[in-house]
Amino acid sequence: DIQMTQSPSSLSLSVGDRVTITCRASQNVVSFVNWYQQKPGKGPNLLIYSASTLHSGVPSRFSGSGSGTDFTLTISSLQPEDFATYYCQQGFITPYTFGQGTRLQTK
Amino acid sequence: EVQLLESGGGLVQPGGSLRLSCAASGFTFNKYAMSWVRQTPAKGLEWVSTITISVTNTFYADSVKGRFTVSRDNSKNTLFLQMNSLRADDTAVYYCARRVTGDIVFDIWGQGTMVAVSS
């Protein structure tokens, strides 16, 4: 199975901060990486697909980059509604594996 | 509004069975592959199964293969997951998710249903 390793596992942040979350795949997944946001008690919401394409309706402060094994999710200026947990996921080969999550907390 | 609503979760003894349902609304259900994904605090998000549009193909994680069966009723806009021989490590919140056409991207998720396997 392809392992997706996210870092960091958590961050303490303030509104307006720039946030960078990284995800490393254990083997080449080309650009088949997606990013999701999840809030407590809810299902995940798609943010970015194919490494860098912003999903419809997602604010432009979210962006993704990377290819091969290293990927990044960036939030340019953190907003109050962005405090949540973020997951990467590879869609290159079954089983479609997820990272362990990065939790953004208020400082 | 595009929506997925899971139901059927609950408490079941080890070795027991449970059938989850996922009612879809707000989109043309028979034009999308559908998946089940589960989540636990310990293991995080884990893809469980996918079924294609025409039910031609089904795919399973090794951890559930031979015990779980995914199906769909396109006439009722409903996805199912039949879970047999349940084990303690199947305890999780189970989500249904819509898969984007052509890519392994889950663009719509339900709110989840809790399955607890315990004696």
Side-chain angles (χ1 to χ4, degrees), chain A residues 34 36 38 42 44 87 89, chain B residues 39 47 95 104-106 109:
Chain A
N34 313 306
Y36 302 87
Q38 187 179 31
K42 304 285 189 180
Y87 296 92
Q89 172 244 327
Chain B
Q39 185 173 32
W47 168 79
Y95 296 99
I104 310 303
V105 181
F106 307 114
W109 297 63

Side-chain angles (χ1 to χ4, degrees), chain A residues 2 27-33 89-94 96, chain B residues 104:
Chain A
I2 297 176
Q27 65 186 75
N28 186 353
V29 293
V30 194
S31 62
F32 295 104
V33 167
Q89 172 244 327
Q90 64 84 12
F92 181 62
I93 194 169
T94 59
Y96 308 118
Chain B
I104 310 303

Side-chain angles (χ1 to χ4, degrees), chain A residues 43-91:
Chain A
N45 288 315
L46 177 65
L47 296 174
I48 302 281
Y49 62 94
S50 300
S52 60
T53 304
L54 196 67
H55 182 52
S56 175
V58 174
S60 58
R61 62 181 179 272
F62 292 92
S63 63
S65 63
S67 65
T69 60
D70 293 312
F71 300 87
T72 300
L73 173 70
T74 300
I75 309 173
S76 60
S77 179
L78 195 66
Q79 298 303 300
E81 61 268 29
D82 301 336
F83 288 95
T85 303
Y86 293 82
Y87 296 92
C88 60
Q89 172 244 327
Q90 64 84 12

